[in-house]
Amino acid sequence: MVSPRAPLSKLTAGLLFVSFLIYLVIINRLEVGQSGRVADPASFSSRMLMNLPSSGSGDSNNLHDTISNSGVITAIDNMVNQIGVAGSDLTETRVKDISNEIAKQIADYVVQRLGKAATISNPCSSCWKHGNATDLPVIYLVTPTYRRPEQIPDLTRLAQTLLNVPAVHWIVVEDNSALSPAIASLLKRYGIPHTHLKAQMPEKYKKSKLKPRGVANRNAALDWVRSNCKSGVVYFADDDNTYDIRLFEEMRFTKKVSMWPVGLVTKVGLSSPVVNDKGVVVDFFDGWMANRKFPVDMAGFAVSVQLILEKSDVYMPYVPGHEEDGFLKKLDVSPADIEPKANRCTQIFVWHTQTKSNTPANRTTATGKRYKGTNIDTLQEWIV
């Protein structure tokens, strides 16, 4: 077995060599006068690094790949452009400082690659606040969604929240006959690990006055989890809620079922477990109790993947208002199984904000000759 430190030690020597080359290239390209000031500061670009001849080192190809990376190239260019900004005030010492910063950028990139901490295919990797999250239980975040004017804005807000959460897998399930290209594009753009599914509400429920929205979507996600996961936690996160990122760390190590308060729910403005001074759930507080054993909001609990695998025949019922209660009862959850989070349910980390409902757009004006062949045609794809 090859020692994991071996590649790093070889590349370290190579990086020092490249740093030296960088310095020589800068000095050779810039004329240093007797006063030690640079006469032609704007003539250097990091693109030159891509044309460096092979040094004969066994690591030259790896190093060339590293300094050819577009992100590293951009970072290097930004630092080298400081030469032009500094102008006549630039000294040889400053050039050395800049070359050291360039070498540091290369070193950081290589170490990151060796540690597999970077999601290379993620175009928004700079947004992630975490490093290597391979040791964390994965949160499988289930979001049912349907086409409406607020859909893309709501999903955008949730996506930008999830960019700050390590070890998360986003399962987005559309109530649609086909996957939406707009949502597929959004998921790809943010680069969050995800699964994109579709599951329509059964026809027999579509004519009901009270529709069991999101049930087919969540049940499709449960099927996916049972087929693809062995551990972690499942959380049903609707796209019209607002989430504090602390919530996700609260639920991450759920053993069976964890619960917490949800704000802006019903006329009382809150749905929460009632926790005594011993930290035990003894009751529930909700504006609509309705003789439910578990009068909780969909955003107020998480379930371990292990429990979902053990109860392989449990799904959410198509009963409006009783989806959460029916699901938890089928899981054979008792009050003793509930783990109160958010400082014994004294803090609110999720709110049922419900984006204001908008009426469908009137497309008549946009279809007129005045806007034919302009950007308005393209924007129509985003308007519902």
Side-chain angles (χ1 to χ4, degrees), residues 200-221:
Q200 287 187 287
M201 180 188 298
E203 288 293 332
K204 63 180 180 180
Y205 298 114
K206 291 182 178 181
K207 296 180 181 180
S208 303
K209 184 177 181 180
L210 293 176
K211 297 178 176 60
R213 296 187 181 278
V215 175
N217 312 60
R218 297 183 187 101
N219 286 342

Side-chain angles (χ1 to χ4, degrees), residues 251-307:
M251 72 176 71
R252 190 177 296 281
F253 295 93
T254 297
K255 297 179 180 66
K256 276 193 172 183
V257 176
S258 55
M259 291 186 181
W260 47 80
V262 180
L264 302 178
V265 177
T266 73
K267 61 185 179 182
V268 300
L270 176 68
S271 176
S272 175
V274 176
V275 182
N276 66 15
D277 57 1
K278 296 180 180 179
V280 177
V281 174
V282 295
D283 201 351
F284 292 92
F285 179 86
D286 191 276
W288 187 67
M289 302 298 283
N291 199 31
R292 293 182 294 168
K293 181 179 180 181
F294 298 102
V296 297
D297 185 79
M298 190 67 71
F301 68 96
V303 181
S304 72
V305 168
Q306 187 59 44
L307 181 58

Side-chain angles (χ1 to χ4, degrees), residues 2-145:
V2 179
S3 170
R5 294 184 62 86
L8 183 59
S9 60
K10 289 181 181 179
L11 284 175
T12 300
L15 288 171
L16 292 174
F17 177 71
V18 169
S19 178
F20 178 68
L21 283 179
I22 294 169
Y23 174 68
L24 287 181
V25 171
I26 295 175
I27 295 301
N28 287 337
R29 292 287 297 179
L30 307 177
E31 296 179 17
V32 181
Q34 291 182 351
S35 64
R37 299 192 182 279
V38 178
D40 183 21
S43 60
F44 176 80
S45 168
S46 61
R47 294 297 189 276
M48 298 174 188
L49 296 175
M50 300 175 68
N51 298 320
L52 286 176
S54 173
S55 66
S57 167
D59 294 317
S60 61
N61 290 336
N62 290 339
L63 291 171
H64 186 273
D65 289 343
T66 299
I67 60 179
S68 297
N69 173 271
S70 60
V72 177
I73 289 293
T74 300
I76 293 173
D77 274 335
N78 288 339
M79 286 183 286
V80 173
N81 284 340
Q82 295 178 42
I83 296 173
V85 174
S88 60
D89 293 330
L90 185 70
T91 63
E92 184 176 356
T93 299
R94 183 63 183 129
V95 174
K96 290 179 180 178
D97 290 341
I98 293 172
S99 67
N100 288 336
E101 284 296 314
I102 294 170
K104 183 178 183 300
Q105 283 287 330
I106 297 172
D108 288 346
Y109 176 75
V110 174
V111 170
Q112 190 179 51
R113 284 288 300 274
L114 291 173
K116 296 181 179 180
T119 306
I120 298 172
S121 62
N122 179 7
C124 205
S125 58
S126 62
C127 301
W128 292 75
K129 304 299 183 184
H130 58 88
N132 192 336
T134 55
D135 294 333
L136 293 175
V138 175
I139 298 172
Y140 295 97
L141 190 129
V142 178
T143 300
T145 188

Side-chain angles (χ1 to χ4, degrees), residues 285-345:
F285 179 86
D286 191 276
W288 187 67
M289 302 298 283
N291 199 31
R292 293 182 294 168
K293 181 179 180 181
F294 298 102
V296 297
D297 185 79
M298 190 67 71
F301 68 96
V303 181
S304 72
V305 168
Q306 187 59 44
L307 181 58
I308 289 174
L309 294 178
E310 290 174 5
K311 306 292 184 179
S312 58
D313 60 343
V314 171
Y315 293 91
M316 284 201 175
Y318 286 91
V319 183
H322 292 265
E323 296 94 332
E324 305 92 337
D325 184 49
F327 180 63
L328 291 169
K329 286 193 292 188
K330 288 181 180 179
L331 288 174
D332 289 332
V333 174
S334 68
D337 294 324
I338 299 172
E339 306 159 42
K341 301 294 185 180
N343 192 21
R344 293 189 174 186
C345 294

